[in-house]
Amino acid sequence: MTYWALNAVFLVPAAVVLLFALMRRTTTTTAGGRKGVLAALGITAVVLLLLTAVFDNVMIAAGLFWYNPERISGAFIGRAPLEDFAYTVAAVLLLPALWMLLGRRNNPLKARNAAINPQEKQ
């Protein structure tokens, strides 16, 4: 199994979850709507990919880990194979998607307390 095949196990589901989260999101939920989310994802991806490039190159140069040359594509950014950046991309796709899907929940305890004591400040 190549590293790209292993990466596909993480990248494909992450992309599917992000697409699902973006489809559920209405354009009026936050400032910028979907375009704002995509801009934030792009900025986050650039920053995290730059950090990954720097630190992975340092760790590979220090001999902390290595890649089997038979299982990589041969494309490198410095000493880091291109496949090494897939986990960063998966995190950029999946974490905001989960935030969009799971982050906004009504607090049932707060709603119940407001119904019981309408004058009490929450």
Side-chain angles (χ1 to χ4, degrees), residues 4-5 11 19 35-36 80 92-93 102 107 109:
W4 279 121
L11 288 173
L19 288 174
K35 289 181 183 179
V92 168
L93 299 176
L102 304 174
N107 186 340
L109 185 60

Side-chain angles (χ1 to χ4, degrees), residues 29 32 41 43 47 58 66 71 77 79 102-103 116-117 119:
T29 54
L41 288 174
I43 292 167
V47 170
V58 168
W66 59 277
R71 305 224 188 263
I77 297 177
R79 291 183 177 220
L102 304 174
I116 293 170
N117 298 320
Q119 285 81 19

Side-chain angles (χ1 to χ4, degrees), residues 15-90:
V16 169
V17 172
L18 178 63
L19 288 174
F20 179 71
L22 288 173
M23 288 182 350
R24 287 195 56 202
R25 186 176 191 85
T26 62
T27 56
T28 59
T29 54
T30 62
R34 286 187 188 130
K35 289 181 183 179
V37 170
L38 293 176
L41 288 174
I43 292 167
T44 302
V46 168
V47 170
L48 289 178
L49 288 169
L50 286 172
L51 289 170
T52 300
V54 170
F55 289 107
D56 283 4
N57 276 287
V58 168
M59 290 187 292
I60 291 169
L64 296 176
F65 61 92
W66 59 277
Y67 288 90
N68 184 341
E70 296 174 2
R71 305 224 188 263
I72 58 175
S73 65
F76 292 88
I77 297 177
R79 291 183 177 220
L82 201 56
E83 292 90 337
D84 198 33
F85 295 87
Y87 302 105
T88 303
V89 173

